[in-house]
Amino acid sequence: MNEPRSASDDLYREALDRVKQAIERASQTDLYEPTAGVLATAGNAGWPTARTVLLKGLDEAGALFYTNLCSRKAQQLSENPRASLCFFWQPLAEQVEICGSVVRISAAEADEYWAERPRDSQIGGWASDQSQPLESRRELEERAAEIERRFPDRIPRPPHWSGYRLVPVSIELWRAGEGRLHERERYELHPEGWERMLLNP
Ligand SMILES: Cc1cc2nc3c(=O)[nH]c(=O)nc-3n(C[C@H](O)[C@H](O)[C@H](O)COP(=O)(O)O)c2cc1C
Protein backbone atom coordinates (compact mmCIF):
# COMPACT_ATOMS: atom_id res chain seq x y z
CA MET A 1 0.00 0.00 0.00
CA ASN A 2 1.12 3.53 -0.70
CA GLU A 3 0.25 6.97 0.54
CA PRO A 4 -2.70 8.58 -1.22
CA ARG A 5 -1.84 10.23 -4.54
CA SER A 6 -5.03 11.29 -6.18
CA ALA A 7 -8.64 11.45 -5.20
CA SER A 8 -9.85 11.44 -8.77
CA ASP A 9 -10.18 7.74 -9.36
CA ASP A 10 -13.62 6.38 -10.21
CA LEU A 11 -13.10 3.33 -8.05
CA TYR A 12 -12.34 5.57 -5.10
CA ARG A 13 -15.55 7.49 -5.69
CA GLU A 14 -17.43 4.20 -5.99
CA ALA A 15 -16.05 3.05 -2.63
CA LEU A 16 -16.98 6.34 -0.97
CA ASP A 17 -20.47 6.16 -2.44
CA ARG A 18 -20.90 2.67 -1.06
CA VAL A 19 -19.81 3.80 2.41
CA LYS A 20 -22.22 6.73 2.24
CA GLN A 21 -25.02 4.39 1.21
CA ALA A 22 -24.27 2.12 4.18
CA ILE A 23 -24.37 5.14 6.52
CA GLU A 24 -27.66 6.15 4.94
CA ARG A 25 -29.08 2.67 5.55
CA ALA A 26 -27.79 2.80 9.14
CA SER A 27 -29.42 6.21 9.61
CA GLN A 28 -32.77 4.68 8.77
CA THR A 29 -32.52 2.25 11.69
CA ASP A 30 -33.01 3.22 15.33
CA LEU A 31 -29.28 3.11 16.07
CA TYR A 32 -28.21 5.60 18.77
CA GLU A 33 -25.37 7.04 16.66
CA PRO A 34 -25.34 5.61 13.12
CA THR A 35 -22.17 7.53 12.23
CA ALA A 36 -20.17 6.20 15.19
CA GLY A 37 -17.02 4.33 14.24
CA VAL A 38 -14.09 2.92 16.15
CA LEU A 39 -10.87 4.82 15.48
CA ALA A 40 -7.70 2.82 16.05
CA THR A 41 -4.34 4.54 16.41
CA ALA A 42 -0.87 3.64 17.63
CA GLY A 43 1.88 6.04 18.67
CA ASN A 44 5.62 5.48 18.83
CA ALA A 45 5.26 2.87 21.54
CA GLY A 46 3.33 0.75 19.06
CA TRP A 47 0.48 -0.15 21.40
CA PRO A 48 -2.78 0.06 19.47
CA THR A 49 -5.61 1.96 21.12
CA ALA A 50 -9.20 2.35 19.97
CA ARG A 51 -12.17 4.54 20.77
CA THR A 52 -15.44 5.63 19.21
CA VAL A 53 -15.71 8.89 17.29
CA LEU A 54 -18.50 10.37 15.20
CA LEU A 55 -18.01 10.71 11.47
CA LYS A 56 -18.82 14.30 10.58
CA GLY A 57 -18.18 14.22 6.86
CA LEU A 58 -17.06 11.91 4.10
CA ASP A 59 -15.92 13.00 0.67
CA GLU A 60 -12.93 12.65 -1.64
CA ALA A 61 -10.79 14.57 0.84
CA GLY A 62 -11.40 11.86 3.45
CA ALA A 63 -13.35 10.96 6.58
CA LEU A 64 -13.77 13.86 9.00
CA PHE A 65 -13.94 13.65 12.79
CA TYR A 66 -13.47 16.14 15.60
CA THR A 67 -11.65 15.78 18.86
CA ASN A 68 -9.40 17.29 21.51
CA LEU A 69 -5.90 17.97 20.21
CA CYS A 70 -4.37 17.11 23.60
CA SER A 71 -6.15 13.76 23.86
CA ARG A 72 -4.43 10.40 23.85
CA LYS A 73 -5.53 9.79 20.25
CA ALA A 74 -4.18 13.18 19.15
CA GLN A 75 -0.87 12.50 20.86
CA GLN A 76 -0.62 9.18 19.07
CA LEU A 77 -1.60 10.75 15.75
CA SER A 78 1.14 13.35 16.18
CA GLU A 79 3.63 10.50 16.53
CA ASN A 80 2.16 8.33 13.81
CA PRO A 81 -0.41 10.05 11.58
CA ARG A 82 -2.10 6.85 10.43
CA ALA A 83 -5.34 5.35 11.61
CA SER A 84 -8.11 2.89 10.93
CA LEU A 85 -11.77 3.77 11.36
CA CYS A 86 -14.12 0.82 11.61
CA PHE A 87 -17.91 0.92 11.59
CA PHE A 88 -20.15 -2.00 12.47
CA TRP A 89 -23.86 -1.54 12.03
CA GLN A 90 -25.48 -4.41 13.87
CA PRO A 91 -28.99 -3.99 12.37
CA LEU A 92 -27.49 -4.10 8.87
CA ALA A 93 -24.93 -6.82 9.59
CA GLU A 94 -22.44 -4.65 7.72
CA GLN A 95 -18.96 -3.42 8.48
CA VAL A 96 -16.77 -0.81 6.83
CA GLU A 97 -13.12 -0.21 7.57
CA ILE A 98 -11.31 2.88 6.31
CA CYS A 99 -7.57 2.96 6.73
CA GLY A 100 -5.32 5.89 5.86
CA SER A 101 -3.17 8.81 6.79
CA VAL A 102 -4.52 11.51 9.03
CA VAL A 103 -4.25 15.25 8.52
CA ARG A 104 -5.44 18.14 10.69
CA ILE A 105 -8.14 20.30 9.16
CA SER A 106 -7.73 24.08 8.83
CA ALA A 107 -8.61 26.43 11.66
CA ALA A 108 -11.25 28.01 9.42
CA GLU A 109 -12.99 24.69 8.83
CA ALA A 110 -12.90 23.82 12.53
CA ASP A 111 -14.29 27.27 13.41
CA GLU A 112 -17.16 26.78 11.03
CA TYR A 113 -18.20 23.45 12.53
CA TRP A 114 -17.61 24.66 16.10
CA ALA A 115 -20.01 27.56 15.51
CA GLU A 116 -22.80 25.08 14.60
CA ARG A 117 -22.41 23.04 17.78
CA PRO A 118 -24.94 23.39 20.58
CA ARG A 119 -23.81 25.55 23.49
CA ASP A 120 -23.67 22.53 25.83
CA SER A 121 -21.24 20.75 23.52
CA GLN A 122 -19.13 23.88 23.27
CA ILE A 123 -18.98 24.14 27.05
CA GLY A 124 -18.00 20.47 27.21
CA GLY A 125 -15.29 21.08 24.63
CA TRP A 126 -13.72 23.73 26.86
CA ALA A 127 -14.32 22.00 30.18
CA SER A 128 -13.00 18.55 29.34
CA ASP A 129 -9.29 18.05 29.56
CA GLN A 130 -9.83 14.96 27.45
CA SER A 131 -7.86 11.82 28.36
CA GLN A 132 -6.30 13.44 31.48
CA PRO A 133 -7.05 12.12 34.98
CA LEU A 134 -9.97 13.81 36.75
CA GLU A 135 -10.04 14.24 40.56
CA SER A 136 -13.81 14.13 40.76
CA ARG A 137 -16.93 14.65 38.71
CA ARG A 138 -17.37 17.90 40.66
CA GLU A 139 -14.12 19.29 39.27
CA LEU A 140 -15.49 18.87 35.72
CA GLU A 141 -18.83 20.42 36.63
CA GLU A 142 -17.12 23.40 38.24
CA ARG A 143 -15.00 23.92 35.15
CA ALA A 144 -18.13 23.81 33.00
CA ALA A 145 -19.82 26.40 35.25
CA GLU A 146 -16.74 28.59 35.04
CA ILE A 147 -16.80 28.44 31.22
CA GLU A 148 -20.49 29.32 31.28
CA ARG A 149 -19.67 32.48 33.29
CA ARG A 150 -16.60 33.32 31.21
CA PHE A 151 -18.48 33.23 27.92
CA PRO A 152 -22.01 34.52 28.51
CA ASP A 153 -22.51 35.06 24.76
CA ARG A 154 -20.58 33.44 21.93
CA ILE A 155 -18.16 30.70 22.90
CA PRO A 156 -15.02 30.73 20.76
CA ARG A 157 -13.41 27.47 19.65
CA PRO A 158 -10.82 26.33 22.17
CA PRO A 159 -7.29 26.16 20.75
CA HIS A 160 -7.18 22.48 21.74
CA TRP A 161 -10.27 21.47 19.78
CA SER A 162 -10.27 20.71 16.06
CA GLY A 163 -10.75 18.04 13.46
CA TYR A 164 -8.83 15.49 11.46
CA ARG A 165 -9.33 13.94 8.07
CA LEU A 166 -8.52 10.33 7.54
CA VAL A 167 -7.35 10.20 3.92
CA PRO A 168 -8.06 6.64 2.76
CA VAL A 169 -5.53 4.24 1.34
CA SER A 170 -8.00 1.38 1.68
CA ILE A 171 -11.72 0.99 2.15
CA GLU A 172 -13.17 -2.39 2.94
CA LEU A 173 -16.82 -3.39 2.96
CA TRP A 174 -18.12 -6.47 4.70
CA ARG A 175 -21.63 -7.78 4.56
CA ALA A 176 -23.02 -10.90 6.23
CA GLY A 177 -23.64 -13.58 3.65
CA GLU A 178 -25.64 -16.78 3.46
CA GLY A 179 -24.26 -19.69 5.48
CA ARG A 180 -21.40 -17.63 6.89
CA LEU A 181 -20.04 -17.06 3.38
CA HIS A 182 -19.74 -13.38 4.05
CA GLU A 183 -19.00 -10.84 1.34
CA ARG A 184 -15.78 -8.92 1.65
CA GLU A 185 -14.71 -6.32 -0.87
CA ARG A 186 -11.64 -4.17 -0.62
CA TYR A 187 -10.63 -1.00 -2.45
CA GLU A 188 -6.94 -0.31 -2.15
CA LEU A 189 -4.71 2.50 -3.37
CA HIS A 190 -1.66 1.34 -5.34
CA PRO A 191 0.95 3.38 -7.25
CA GLU A 192 -1.15 2.83 -10.42
CA GLY A 193 -4.35 3.97 -8.71
CA TRP A 194 -7.26 2.39 -6.87
CA GLU A 195 -7.93 -1.33 -7.22
CA ARG A 196 -10.91 -3.39 -6.16
CA MET A 197 -10.69 -6.99 -5.05
CA LEU A 198 -12.71 -9.63 -3.28
CA LEU A 199 -11.26 -11.12 -0.13
CA ASN A 200 -11.97 -14.35 1.62
CA PRO A 201 -14.21 -13.62 4.56
C1 LIG B 1 -20.98 7.13 20.56
C2 LIG B 1 -19.72 7.88 20.94
C3 LIG B 1 -19.29 8.93 20.15
C4 LIG B 1 -18.12 9.61 20.47
N1 LIG B 1 -17.69 10.62 19.64
C5 LIG B 1 -16.51 11.23 19.90
C6 LIG B 1 -15.99 12.19 18.98
O1 LIG B 1 -16.56 12.46 17.91
N2 LIG B 1 -14.81 12.79 19.30
C7 LIG B 1 -14.13 12.48 20.45
O2 LIG B 1 -13.08 13.06 20.68
N3 LIG B 1 -14.58 11.57 21.31
C8 LIG B 1 -15.75 10.92 21.07
N4 LIG B 1 -16.22 9.96 21.93
C9 LIG B 1 -15.40 9.64 23.12
C10 LIG B 1 -14.24 8.73 22.68
O3 LIG B 1 -14.71 7.43 22.42
C11 LIG B 1 -13.10 8.69 23.70
O4 LIG B 1 -13.56 8.29 24.97
C12 LIG B 1 -12.41 10.06 23.84
O5 LIG B 1 -12.27 10.69 22.58
C13 LIG B 1 -11.02 9.91 24.47
O6 LIG B 1 -10.23 9.03 23.70
P1 LIG B 1 -8.64 8.98 23.81
O7 LIG B 1 -8.31 9.13 25.27
O8 LIG B 1 -8.24 7.67 23.25
O9 LIG B 1 -8.10 10.13 23.00
C14 LIG B 1 -17.37 9.25 21.62
C15 LIG B 1 -17.80 8.16 22.40
C16 LIG B 1 -18.95 7.48 22.05
C17 LIG B 1 -19.37 6.28 22.87
Side-chain angles (χ1 to χ4, degrees):
M1 283 196 299
N2 287 277
E3 297 298 319
R5 283 185 331 159
S6 149
S8 63
D9 207 285
D10 285 351
L11 274 178
Y12 178 48
R13 278 195 290 270
E14 176 184 297
L16 290 173
D17 281 347
R18 291 182 64 184
V19 177
K20 284 190 230 168
Q21 286 160 18
I23 291 170
E24 184 52 41
R25 283 193 291 281
S27 305
Q28 283 160 17
T29 69
D30 58 1
L31 275 173
Y32 169 53
E33 292 285 10
T35 68
V38 175
L39 179 82
T41 56
N44 285 337
W47 293 102
T49 61
R51 79 291 288 154
T52 310
V53 294
L54 297 181
L55 182 72
K56 291 294 178 183
L58 180 67
D59 57 25
E60 287 178 41
L64 175 66
F65 61 92
Y66 288 92
T67 193
N68 184 308
L69 300 178
C70 303
S71 63
R72 178 182 61 156
K73 72 181 90 48
Q75 176 60 37
Q76 293 183 353
L77 288 172
S78 73
E79 293 169 8
N80 173 22
R82 288 175 176 166
S84 156
L85 181 59
C86 189
F87 303 87
F88 171 54
W89 298 284
Q90 183 124 12
L92 308 180
E94 283 185 56
Q95 171 181 262
V96 162
E97 190 218 6
I98 303 174
C99 185
S101 358
V102 173
V103 289
R104 280 258 303 275
I105 65 168
S106 70
E109 188 176 0
D111 284 342
E112 203 176 308
Y113 177 67
W114 174 264
E116 291 169 9
R117 300 187 87 208
R119 189 172 167 85
D120 277 2
S121 310
Q122 293 180 334
I123 291 171
W126 272 100
S128 168
D129 200 1
Q130 194 175 64
S131 314
Q132 297 308 312
L134 181 66
E135 268 309 313
S136 64
R137 176 87 205 159
R138 200 162 146 213
E139 182 190 323
L140 181 63
E141 287 166 1
E142 282 174 1
R143 262 204 315 265
E146 204 273 311
I147 296 299
E148 181 88 65
R149 286 192 296 274
R150 184 163 148 207
F151 301 114
D153 303 317
R154 195 185 79 85
I155 305 182
R157 179 173 62 87
H160 60 258
W161 190 97
S162 188
Y164 291 91
R165 263 203 182 80
L166 174 62
V167 185
V169 293
S170 69
I171 297 178
E172 193 183 305
L173 299 108
W174 182 103
R175 186 193 284 246
E178 295 272 312
R180 303 256 152 193
L181 296 181
H182 308 305
E183 293 167 31
R184 225 179 130 191
E185 263 181 278
R186 186 170 170 84
Y187 295 78
E188 212 170 77
L189 183 62
H190 289 267
E192 314 74 49
W194 282 84
E195 288 181 15
R196 182 180 55 199
M197 67 204 81
L198 296 180
L199 292 180
N200 279 277

